[in-house]
Amino acid sequence: QVQLVQSGAEVKKPGSSVKVSCKASGGTFSSYAISWVRQAPGQGLEWMGGIIPIFGTGNYAQKFQGRVTITADESTSTAYMELSSLRSEDTAVYYCARSHTPSIVGATTYPPLDYWGQGTLVTVSS
Amino acid sequence: EIVMTQSPATLPVSPGERATLSCRASQSLSSNLAWYQQKPGQAPRLLIYGASTRATYIPARFSGSGSGTEFTLTISSLQSEDFAVYYCQQYNNWPLTFGGGTKVEIK
C-alpha cells in the first residue's frame, strides 16, 4: 500500500521560505507524478505544481512561477516543495499527492491524484 | 488555464435520497475529469476518474457521467458518511485545476 508521509507543521515569518517534504513508501516512486496542492483555511483546493521524479523537471502553475520549486530525490523516494517570499495569504495546509498511473515521456498533464499525504500546515505570521 | 465551475455550492439532502452535483469546464476536457471527496480535517479522496470510472474501493452508489464541458457526480442513496465536500478536477492540461467545491449537507 502506497503511503505519503509529510513533514510537520511550520510557522514562518513573512518574506521567508518554507520547504516541505513528502516521503513515499510501498510502491514505485520514480515514474509517478507527485503534485503539490494547497488549501487555505475554509477554502478550496489549489494545484501548485508537480514533478515526475524520473524526468526531474517540475511543472508549475503560473500563479506560483518564480516562488515555488519542486524537487524529488529518487534515492530516498522523497519529494520536496519549497515556497519563497512567504506572505500571510500563503497560510494553508499543503498536500502532496501521487498520480494513480505512471507518466510517460512528453506528458502534458498528470493523471488523477490517488494517494495523498496527511497535509502540512504552514502558518505565515509576523 | 481551464476554469472549473461547480454547482450548487451547497446541497441539502436527506439520508437515503439521491444527490446530483454538477461541474462545468471552460473548454472541452474530453473525459479527463476526476471527482474527489473531502471530509473535515482529512485529505481529499479520489472517487471518480475518466469522468465515469470509480476508483479502487469506491462504492457503487457513486457514479460519474458527462464529457466535453459538462459533468455530473451522482450519489444514488446518501449514507451518513457521504456528507462532505466534493471537488471536480480537470487533468486535460496543465495547470491542473479544481472546481470550487459542493458541500453536501444534511437536510
Side-chain angles (χ1 to χ4, degrees), chain A residues 76-89:
Chain A
T76 60
S77 298
T78 303
Y80 300 90
M81 185 282 299
E82 184 170 22
L83 186 63
S84 62
S85 303
L86 289 169
R87 35 213 189 223
S88 58
E89 310 90 89

Side-chain angles (χ1 to χ4, degrees), chain A residues 38-46 89-93:
Chain A
R38 78 177 187 179
Q39 186 169 40
Q43 302 301 306
L45 303 170
E46 183 174 35
E89 310 90 89
D90 294 318
T91 293
V93 175

Side-chain angles (χ1 to χ4, degrees), chain A residues 1 35 37 39 43-47 52 59-63 95 100 106-114 116-119, chain B residues 1 33-34 36 38 41-46 48-50 55-57 87 89-100:
Chain A
Q1 176 73 329
S35 287
V37 176
Q39 186 169 40
Q43 302 301 306
L45 303 170
E46 183 174 35
W47 184 79
I52 304 167
N59 291 280
Y60 306 113
Q62 182 76 17
K63 174 178 179 178
Y95 294 102
H100 90 307
T108 58
T109 185
Y110 296 145
L113 310 176
D114 203 2
W116 293 69
Q118 82 276 20
Chain B
E1 150 173 339
L33 188 282
Y36 300 84
Q38 189 180 32
Q42 297 184 15
R45 177 174 71 145
L46 178 65
I48 301 283
Y49 62 93
T56 307
Y57 306 124
Y87 294 95
Q89 178 234 329
Q90 69 81 19
Y91 55 97
N92 197 60
N93 296 107
W94 284 318
L96 309 185
T97 47
F98 291 88

Side-chain angles (χ1 to χ4, degrees), chain B residues 33-64:
Chain B
L33 188 282
W35 290 94
Y36 300 84
Q37 176 193 67
Q38 189 180 32
K39 297 179 181 179
Q42 297 184 15
R45 177 174 71 145
L46 178 65
L47 296 176
I48 301 283
Y49 62 93
S52 61
T53 302
R54 279 191 302 277
T56 307
Y57 306 124
I58 301 303
R61 63 180 181 274
F62 291 92
S63 64

